[in-house]
């Protein structure tokens, strides 16, 4: 997609449960995976974000379960992420879409 958009760059896919690529990147997309990581091990999502060597993070959370129930996910995930960002002094912008809540973080 990058050449079609006229952007020079590269994209890297990696297993975030293991070692991360050592190089710095402009943007890291962390899409709907933090709740799953935290299910595997408490605090794993925050540790991943701390380890990413990126100036901008795009972090998203689902707004409903796979069966379509909201279950307070927008408020729960939103408040938890806002606390995490505040604790780290990150500036973030929140966007709400039909299927996900997105935070754009500038570090």
């Amino acid at each position: 997609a990058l050449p079609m958009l006229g952007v020079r760059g590269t994209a890297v896919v990696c297993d975030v449960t293991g070692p991360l690529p050592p190089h710095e990147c402009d943007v890291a997309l962390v899409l709907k995976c933090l709740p799953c990581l935290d299910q595997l091990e408490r605090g794993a999502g925050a540790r991943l974000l701390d380890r990413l060597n990126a100036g901008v993070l795009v972090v998203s959370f689902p707004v409903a379960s796979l069966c379509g129930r909201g279950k307070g996910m927008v408020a729960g995930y939103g408040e938890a992420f806002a606390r995490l960002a505040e604790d780290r002094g990150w500036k973030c912008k929140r966007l709400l879409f039909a299927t996900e809540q997105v935070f754009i973080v500038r570090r």
Side-chain angles (χ1 to χ4, degrees):
L2 295 176
M4 291 174 34
L5 296 170
V7 176
R8 280 190 50 213
T10 59
V12 176
V13 177
C14 67
D15 177 357
V16 297
T17 62
L20 298 177
H23 56 276
E24 181 179 354
C25 64
D26 296 323
V27 179
L29 303 176
V30 185
L31 307 176
K32 293 185 182 177
C33 70
L34 294 186
C36 298
L37 290 173
D38 287 334
Q39 286 289 323
L40 293 172
E41 184 180 334
R42 184 180 176 122
R47 286 192 300 277
L48 167 65
L49 296 177
D50 290 339
R51 291 179 17 223
L52 287 170
N53 192 6
V56 176
L57 303 174
V58 179
V59 181
S60 74
F61 297 91
V63 299
S65 67
L66 291 175
C67 61
R69 294 194 179 100
K71 300 182 180 182
M73 296 168 85
V74 171
Y77 290 140
E79 291 167 9
F81 189 79
R83 280 191 306 274
L84 184 143
E86 184 177 329
D87 289 348
R88 287 158 175 75
W90 295 345
K91 304 282 187 210
C92 63
K93 179 179 180 178
R94 178 182 170 264
L95 305 170
L96 186 58
F97 298 99
T99 59
E100 61 192 307
Q101 177 175 207
V102 177
F103 292 89
I104 301 172
V105 178
R106 299 191 188 284
R107 313 193 280 182

